[in-house]
Amino acid sequence: MKILVVGNGGRESAIAHTVKRFHNDAEIFVAPGNGGTEEAFTNVAISASNIDALAEFAKKENIDLTIVGPEVPLVMGIVDKFNSLGLRAFGPNKECAEFEGSKRFTKEFLMRNDIPTAKYASFTKEQVEECVAAMKTFNLPVVVKADGLAAGKGVLICESYEDAEEGIREIFSGKFEGAGDVIVLEEFLTGIEASLLCFVDGKTIVPMETARDYKRALDNDKGLNTGGMGGFSPNPIITPAVKANIESRILKPIIDGFQKEKLDFKGVLFIGLMIEGNDPKVLEFNVRFGDPETQSVLPRLQTDLVEIMNACIDGRLADVNIKWDARQSMTLVLASQGYPESSHKGDIITGLDTLNQETYLFHAGTKKVDGTIQTDGGRVLAITSLADTLEEARAKTYAEAKKVSFDGMQYRTDVAK
Ligand code: AMP
Ligand code: GLY
């Protein structure tokens, strides 16, 4: 079996390792990959957004299944491109990738289908003054979002109307290029966040085990927003009562909405939730696995990931019995100096070969240079441990992290505390 994983982060490392766990003999390519995937698999020097070159490679190599990690190629239409050439690719088509490509598209879908979410209003850049005036009718803090893909930087939580107005003008003036042609204003929701990744085959939606992500750079949720500094699975905020409400108020209307609106969504739907009491509300949709949620969730998967993905593509997900390890997982991200504002490259990483064999080590921003592994991005490594309790998993992961070192290494000390 030949598998191509598109992307270069910790998420893609976790996907490739999970494929390997069920198919030890599979030939696994990662494009473009990182220092760790170069050692464990075969890296292909094609960027994740060069969809023509990726398709050409998949055709030439007779790849059986391509798994797309990041959102950018999905929004560009990589799956449509592959399908048009008779190639199998896991992920939503271009039309469905708009759930991540446009926050307004998602909000409109949620409203049409009566799915609980924050109140909102949206404006185009021709409507700057209307947008500013409408913003002042929201309570503080008010949430201002660039509509399109902005690498996680397009959401502002504003404590004053002055800050919000400045944010609106900045976004409309082209700070995020095309991603800022539309703004979505939202009411601020309180509660606790949870990430729910779901497999979808067009007519069935099956949630994976729940996860929690720590988005801020520093302890006690201080500092800037990042891609995610760590997390764990399952997330105890999703009690059986909350789960039942998610099923009836969110998952069922989503799948009914897909059917009604003829949206053939196949792939992973990542639902960002805010939970207060027993009431879940949708914060956002992503159309891919989360990072670092994937590094927490996939080590717990006990059913062949390739089989699940093929079932999604073929519309027979309802026939697959997906099993999970009952243990807790806990993931910590080790980041390079300067992250998230910048990242420091070229620092030599030591201690990787001293990690416990049972520990999952997922490379992200790393590269291999002359036999050494060096930093090559903001989030450098993710370490995951499994144990019977979260406390144990947490203690194991932190103990392993202490064995790793590189100049400027930083991590949160309070993940899963
Ligand atoms: P998004 O990319 O839309 O998920 O937003 C990024 C982060 O901003 C979320 O994970 C939340 O922490 C926060 N956020 C977004 N929208 C809201 C909202 N309406 N109320 C409170 N926090 C929000
Ligand atoms: N960890 C959040 C994301 O992947 O978007």
Side-chain angles (χ1 to χ4, degrees):
M1 182 189 293
K2 283 185 167 187
I3 303 285
L4 170 63
V5 178
V6 176
N8 63 354
R11 163 184 53 206
E12 287 76 18
S13 294
I15 291 170
H17 278 99
T18 307
V19 169
K20 177 95 181 157
R21 195 150 57 81
F22 292 95
H23 297 273
N24 198 33
D25 56 345
E27 201 174 338
I28 301 173
F29 300 90
V30 188
N34 54 45
T37 58
E38 181 176 338
E39 289 191 329
F41 314 107
T42 304
N43 278 359
V44 183
I46 303 174
S47 94
S49 52
N50 191 349
I51 63 181
D52 289 339
L54 290 168
E56 202 177 303
F57 175 82
K59 193 94 202 164
K60 189 182 83 199
E61 284 289 337
N62 283 315
I63 297 291
D64 295 294
L65 175 67
T66 296
I67 304 168
V68 186
E71 61 276 15
V72 170
L74 291 166
V75 172
M76 288 170 75
I78 188 171
V79 172
D80 311 59
K81 170 87 192 176
F82 272 57
N83 290 345
S84 74
L85 296 169
L87 294 163
R88 282 176 91 74
F90 178 80
N93 60 25
K94 191 169 196 283
E95 183 182 25
C96 293
E98 274 302 276
F99 281 115
E100 183 155 1
S102 165
K103 293 187 189 295
R104 179 172 61 178
F105 180 90
T106 294
K107 284 304 235 184
E108 289 173 350
F109 174 86
L110 294 171
M111 299 308 277
R112 275 197 304 276
N113 291 285
D114 282 327
I115 298 168
T117 187
K119 284 200 193 67
Y120 85 108
S122 69
F123 300 88
T124 65
K125 67 176 176 205
E126 289 73 38
Q127 301 171 299
V128 187
E129 302 313 322
E130 287 101 312
C131 182
V132 170
M135 174 272 292
K136 292 178 182 160
T137 68
F138 282 75
N139 290 330
L140 290 172
V142 53
V143 184
V144 177
K145 299 183 175 183
D147 182 63
L149 296 183
K153 299 186 179 72
V155 175
L156 306 173
I157 313 249
C158 304
E159 300 289 345
S160 74
Y161 293 130
E162 290 72 29
D163 284 354
E165 177 165 351
E166 196 183 318
I168 289 169
R169 294 194 189 280
E170 216 171 53
I171 293 171
F172 277 145
S173 71
K175 186 178 181 191
F176 300 115
E177 299 177 4
D181 289 350
V182 169
I183 281 178
V184 172
L185 302 175
E186 279 181 23
E187 144 199 55
F188 180 78
L189 296 179
T190 52
I192 300 180
E193 282 186 56
S195 305
L196 186 66
L197 280 57
C198 305
F199 290 112
V200 188
D201 75 350
K203 44 188 196 289
T204 305
I205 184 164
V206 179
M208 299 181 213
E209 288 284 286
T210 56
R212 162 82 197 267
D213 174 23
Y214 286 73
K215 285 207 165 70
R216 298 291 195 98
L218 306 175
D219 283 5
N220 301 312
D221 290 329
K222 299 266 185 327
L224 296 172
N225 253 332
T226 70
M229 297 297 285
F232 55 84
S233 170
N235 184 342
I237 185 78
I238 314 258
T239 59
V242 173
K243 198 165 181 208
N245 287 338
I246 292 172
E247 290 279 350
S248 62
R249 299 181 199 167
I250 295 177
L251 301 185
K252 178 148 194 329
I254 287 175
I255 208 73
D256 290 347
F258 286 168
Q259 300 282 289
K260 222 175 351 186
E261 303 188 15
K262 301 205 171 355
L263 291 163
D264 191 22
F265 193 110
K266 293 176 170 183
V268 169
L269 182 69
F270 169 142
I271 308 174
L273 295 164
M274 187 70 92
I275 292 156
E276 193 163 43
N278 285 339
D279 295 328
K281 287 195 171 126
V282 174
L283 276 178
E284 64 163 345
F285 282 170
N286 295 315
V287 298
R288 49 163 177 85
F289 282 98
D291 189 338
E293 287 89 340
T294 306
Q295 294 92 305
S296 289
V297 170
L298 287 187
R300 299 185 54 221
L301 182 66
Q302 289 187 330
T303 302
D304 176 6
L305 181 62
V306 175
E307 161 61 8
I308 298 170
M309 290 180 165
N310 278 323
C312 287
I313 294 171
D314 297 334
R316 48 179 180 80
L317 184 57
D319 301 336
V320 183
N321 180 13
I322 303 179
K323 297 204 191 84
W324 298 95
D325 192 323
R327 288 176 297 169
Q328 279 280 166
S329 67
M330 187 271 167
T331 303
L332 183 68
V333 169
L334 309 183
S336 72
Q337 191 182 325
Y339 182 73
E341 282 168 302
S342 62
S343 59
H344 201 264
K345 299 188 175 158
D347 296 311
I348 293 178
I349 305 169
T350 59
L352 296 177
D353 49 0
T354 65
L355 297 196
N356 188 323
Q357 285 299 307
E358 280 168 27
T359 305
Y360 288 87
L361 170 69
F362 300 121
H363 284 243
T366 67
K367 68 168 181 260
K368 204 173 166 184
V369 184
D370 302 332
T372 65
I373 296 286
Q374 305 188 358
T375 63
D376 193 40
R379 292 187 291 175
V380 177
L381 299 162
I383 296 176
T384 298
S385 304
L386 294 175
D388 290 335
T389 66
L390 185 54
E391 290 68 31
E392 269 177 84
R394 174 174 203 278
K396 272 170 128 178
T397 297
Y398 275 101
E400 295 304 302
K402 291 201 170 71
K403 299 178 183 170
V404 178
S405 111
F406 52 88
D407 280 350
M409 178 170 104
Q410 50 158 331
Y411 56 82
R412 278 183 64 160
T413 66
D414 65 343
V415 175
K417 204 167 184 177

